[in-house]
């Protein structure tokens, strides 16, 4: 077995002194693996994936991302953020910048790429999410589904090794969910390592290698999608599934 690209070993995290939000998290993700994370609101899903790009710190255990051990080392945090792209529920685009400027900002200022190259790369990624014709527009001139695809393209401009998605379709009108999921499915098919917090179970069935079910800060179950849906292993997963399906 090759080394996992993400490895949590007995990771524990508290918010403040007494809120134990992640409990003994053990999780290995192989390169190219697609993981869907689900579970009730407040179970720690966002906190878990935010640890992977060091948006959250943890107090105990070990987390290694693409060979870099995350701890208090600021340099490690910087290195990891360049390898890990993240897409949020609220698209988090800069409203005063055009689509093109949103995509070239970080490659130019953090990646030190010349403007022309950054723009070429941005155009490639916009084509990949099928929105190249909107490059000169401002985010608020686009639909929610288009904005989310721009956010995905922006993350891809940094050539990430891992993509994190935190409920990327939850803020979208129903008719726009598919256009975003289609882009995510394509990414998955191209071999991207993905951790997706989502309750879109159709997506989980279509592309996930495993589904992880979290409750109260713990990973309660990790299973193949087919088995998770048809034969969940715990009372808590059964109860959750009965509410969302
Ligand atoms: P989920 O994404 O599964 O809904 P979260 O990871 O966002 O769960 O949150 C897990 C728990 O931690 C929730 O009870 C939430 O209120 C709490 N929480 C999240 N962020 C913070 C924070 N910055 N400070 C204190 N508590 C937080
Ligand atoms: Mg969340």
């Amino acid at each position: 077995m090759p080394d996992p690209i993400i490895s949590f070993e007995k990771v524990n995290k508290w918010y403040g002194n007494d809120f134990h939000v992640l409990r003994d998290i053990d999780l290995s993700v192989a390169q190219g693996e697609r993981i869907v994370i689900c579970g009730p609101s407040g179970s720690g899903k966002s906190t878990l994936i935010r640890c992977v790009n060091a948006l959250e710190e943890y107090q105990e255990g070990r987390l290694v991302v693409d060979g870099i051990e995350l701890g208090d080392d600021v340099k490690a945090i910087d290195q990891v953020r360049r390898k890990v792209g993240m897409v949020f529920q609220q698209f988090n685009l800069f409203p005063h910048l055009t689509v093109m400027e949103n995509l070239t900002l970080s490659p130019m200022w953090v990646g030190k790429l010349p403007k022309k190259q950054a723009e070429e790369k941005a155009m490639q990624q916009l084509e990949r999410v099928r929105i190249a014709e909107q490059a000169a527009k401002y985010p608020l001139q686009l639909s929610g589904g288009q904005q989310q695809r721009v956010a995905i393209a922006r993350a891809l401009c940094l050539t990430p090794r891992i993509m994190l998605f935190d409920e990327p379709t939850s803020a979208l009108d129903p008719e726009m969910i598919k256009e975003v999921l289609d882009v995510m499915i394509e990414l998955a098919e191209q071999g991207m390592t993905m951790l997706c917090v989502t309750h879109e179970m159709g997506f989980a069935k279509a592309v996930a290698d495993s589904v992880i079910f979290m409750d109260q800060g713990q990973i309660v179950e990790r299973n193949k999608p087919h088995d998770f849906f048809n034969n969940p292993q715990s009372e808590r997963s059964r109860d959750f599934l009965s509410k969302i399906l």
Side-chain angles (χ1 to χ4, degrees):
M1 279 284 276
D3 281 347
I5 191 165
I6 302 170
S7 159
F8 286 76
E9 287 169 34
K10 292 265 166 294
V11 168
N12 282 277
K13 172 177 175 63
W14 287 261
Y15 282 123
N17 290 324
D18 48 12
F19 185 59
H20 196 173
V21 63
L22 295 180
R23 296 165 181 259
D24 284 340
I25 299 293
D26 281 315
L27 173 63
S28 263
V29 179
Q31 187 173 340
E33 218 175 355
R34 286 77 46 114
I35 310 275
V36 160
I37 302 169
C38 63
S41 179
S43 55
K45 305 178 299 293
S46 295
T47 304
L48 177 81
I49 64 166
R50 289 164 61 88
C51 284
V52 175
N53 67 348
L55 287 176
E56 300 286 350
E57 50 180 18
Y58 53 93
Q59 284 76 40
E60 282 179 10
R62 193 160 176 260
L63 171 55
V64 182
V65 177
D66 202 16
I68 299 167
E69 174 149 11
L70 279 170
D72 302 327
D73 182 358
V74 179
K75 232 164 84 205
I77 292 176
D78 228 43
Q79 283 177 325
V80 160
R81 291 210 181 132
R82 285 174 197 215
K83 295 171 183 253
V84 183
M86 183 150 184
V87 174
F88 302 87
Q89 179 175 345
Q90 305 295 342
F91 329 119
N92 291 5
L93 298 169
F94 297 112
H96 60 293
L97 299 179
T98 64
V99 165
M100 177 56 82
E101 288 163 348
N102 265 279
L103 266 65
T104 54
L105 188 70
S106 208
M108 282 171 64
W109 298 104
V110 182
K112 306 281 182 230
L113 211 59
K115 186 172 181 195
K116 188 159 175 293
Q117 269 169 270
E119 287 182 346
E120 276 168 15
K121 192 160 190 188
M123 223 38 192
Q124 285 165 7
Q125 299 311 325
L126 288 172
E127 276 159 18
R128 196 166 171 190
V129 302
R130 290 184 293 283
I131 201 161
E133 71 287 355
Q134 312 287 358
K137 288 204 179 151
Y138 288 87
L140 296 176
Q141 296 175 296
L142 305 180
S143 72
Q146 290 174 321
Q147 288 183 64
Q148 193 59 301
R149 285 186 285 140
V150 170
I152 294 171
R154 180 173 65 175
L156 292 172
C157 278
L158 293 169
T159 334
R161 303 252 298 147
I162 299 165
M163 285 283 287
L164 309 174
F165 292 87
D166 196 353
E167 303 205 35
T169 58
S170 299
L172 298 177
D173 291 332
E175 74 271 18
M176 292 170 190
I177 292 177
K178 186 173 179 297
E179 68 189 52
V180 171
L181 291 178
D182 283 348
V183 165
M184 292 170 62
I185 289 170
E186 262 182 48
L187 258 185
E189 286 168 350
Q190 290 160 7
M192 179 67 78
T193 306
M194 295 166 70
L195 257 60
C196 310
V197 176
T198 181
H199 292 161
E200 289 293 334
M201 294 300 141
F203 173 79
K205 286 178 186 163
V207 303
D209 297 296
S210 326
V211 176
I212 282 175
F213 173 70
M214 285 187 77
D215 193 21
Q216 298 180 16
Q218 288 175 310
I219 293 179
V220 176
E221 176 168 351
R222 175 178 182 161
N223 218 332
K224 299 263 174 243
H226 179 270
D227 297 331
F228 179 70
F229 293 113
N230 294 295
N231 186 20
Q233 294 304 300
S234 75
E235 190 57 46
R236 287 192 275 178
S237 5
R238 269 195 292 281
D239 181 55
F240 173 75
L241 283 169
S242 73
K243 286 176 182 143
I244 63 158
L245 293 181

